[in-house]
Amino acid sequence: EPDSQLAEFAARTGLSMGQSCELMAKTWSISRADQDQLAFESHKKAAAAYEAGFYKDLLVEFKGLKADNNVRKDTTPEKLAKLRPVFDSSSAGTLTAGNSTPLTDGAAAVLLASEEWAHARGLPVLAYLTYGKVAAVDFVGKKEGLLMAPAYAVPRMLGDAGLTLQDFDFYEIHEAFAAQVLCTLKAWET
């Protein structure tokens, strides 16, 4: 179904997600260097986490694969800078194979249920969802970037909880494109 949704999006807008993110990077003045730096730091942190054993009990071996083969522990800003832009091949293009990961979603699942339902089935309750928010943007009319909904949803959810981003030491934005993460961070600053 995600492939059909992407096909519908591309048909309606004429743009892929990467092309849309490229436009967002231009709109928010996100540089290639900043995207490459975020990608470099992400690879280094992921490699360090593997080496420290952080993922040891979080990953399940499958057909001999014991680690994400997307992490490039030997990457450097210089190597990233040599990659060609992918979605805008002109000199203005900024998204590359290095700052736009091919791993857009990991294999993860969450069973969301009521506490009563879990107890009735002998399942442990590992966490509670206390706040959530849904947002959408007008990407078809090109009034906003396709991937900018978190810029709206997160502040609203934090407002409901009486919190701000500054109340957290760490937060994670899971996204394929470094540009999208940087656009969202910039939007949150405004």
Side-chain angles (χ1 to χ4, degrees), residues 49-172:
Y50 273 108
E51 288 178 22
F54 176 81
Y55 293 108
K56 188 175 182 175
D57 63 344
L58 297 175
L59 298 174
V60 177
E61 181 178 343
F62 181 73
K63 294 188 177 183
L65 186 63
K66 298 178 184 178
D68 181 354
N69 62 0
N70 185 52
V71 176
R72 304 286 185 248
K73 67 180 179 179
D74 63 340
T75 197
T76 65
E78 295 77 22
K79 286 180 180 179
L80 291 168
K82 290 179 183 178
L83 298 172
R84 293 181 337 220
V86 186
F87 301 104
D88 174 355
S89 58
S90 77
S91 61
T94 62
L95 276 74
T96 69
N99 61 34
S100 305
T101 180
L103 182 65
T104 57
D105 276 310
V110 172
L111 175 59
L112 187 60
S114 70
E115 190 172 3
E116 296 78 23
W117 187 91
H119 287 306
R121 287 157 181 79
L123 299 171
V125 176
L126 302 175
Y128 292 90
L129 178 63
T130 54
Y131 294 97
K133 202 56 94 177
V134 175
V137 294
D138 182 3
F139 62 87
V140 175
K142 298 182 182 157
K143 294 179 180 142
E144 299 173 276
L146 168 67
L147 307 170
M148 292 303 294
Y152 294 96
V154 171
R156 290 175 185 163
M157 180 185 67
L158 292 174
D160 290 350
L163 299 168
T164 68
L165 288 172
Q166 292 70 33
D167 291 319
F168 299 89
D169 293 326
F170 299 99
Y171 42 89
E172 191 264 348

